[in-house]
Amino acid sequence: MKLAQPALAALAVLAPAAVQSEVLSASDTHFVISLEAGSALSVEALWQRLIHPDSWWSGEHSYSGDAANFTLEPRAGGLWREEWPGGSVAHGRVLLAQPNKLLRLEAPFGPLQGMGAYTVWTITLEDDEGGSRVHFREVASAPPGSDMSTIAKAVNTVKTEAIERLANP
């Protein structure tokens, strides 16, 4: 079946945009990754998803195995927590919250926390034609011998999946 041009254009608007991701730099002691994705959601709706990580973070990348255990307090000093019967973890601490615009966290997720890495996420939202865009940047540094260039690839993969889930419910 051949679709008419207007039908093709409508499908393009409805199709989720792929996440553009890049490891900008990496060495033994640091990495910087950058991701960007479009969303059909308004900035306000995207912000509401962002501050409810249980709606978009994968339980496969959690201690409890269940994303429903995630909460986020979107205010300076607030925590991105995971709590379950028998345990809890603070994944990140909010450094800056500007609703519908920007969320910055000190967030050494997963193995980065145990390595003593200092990790900052900056998540920026902006209006875009027919929806919004999310920009994600992670800057991490760790002690010598941490092999952050290898870890950067894995982190980039996990964050690409997460940003895709955030932007495209």
Side-chain angles (χ1 to χ4, degrees):
M1 174 172 105
K2 188 172 183 180
L3 294 174
Q5 286 297 82
L8 288 173
L11 284 175
V13 169
L14 295 174
V19 175
Q20 299 171 2
S21 68
E22 183 178 2
V23 176
L24 297 176
S25 64
S27 73
D28 179 55
T29 60
H30 92 282
F31 67 76
V32 178
I33 63 173
S34 176
L35 297 94
E36 182 178 332
S39 177
L41 298 174
S42 68
V43 167
E44 296 80 10
L46 190 57
W47 175 262
Q48 286 304 310
R49 275 187 65 73
L50 175 61
I51 64 173
H52 293 97
D54 58 314
S55 69
W56 59 274
W57 192 264
S58 172
E60 291 178 24
H61 303 293
S62 69
Y63 285 88
S64 67
D66 188 352
N69 294 322
F70 285 110
T71 59
L72 173 65
E73 301 164 294
R75 59 177 177 76
L79 294 178
W80 178 324
R81 277 192 305 257
E82 181 181 358
E83 295 185 58
W84 65 97
S88 65
V89 61
H91 288 289
R93 182 176 56 90
V94 176
L95 300 173
L96 174 64
Q98 294 178 310
N100 306 321
K101 188 183 265 186
L102 186 138
L103 183 66
R104 181 170 292 132
L105 300 135
E106 178 184 14
F109 266 48
L112 294 171
Q113 192 177 75
M115 294 169 58
Y118 184 75
T119 307
V120 175
W121 297 5
T122 301
I123 305 165
T124 307
L125 308 180
E126 65 183 12
D127 287 317
D128 195 24
E129 187 176 325
S132 58
R133 294 201 74 69
V134 57
H135 301 272
F136 176 93
R137 183 176 173 93
E138 182 169 347
V139 179
S141 59
S146 296
D147 195 20
M148 295 290 272
S149 59
T150 299
I151 292 168
K153 296 170 191 163
V155 169
N156 190 54
T157 298
V158 169
K159 298 302 176 1
T160 298
E161 174 191 320
I163 297 303
E164 178 139 14
R165 290 170 58 112
L166 170 64
N168 300 297

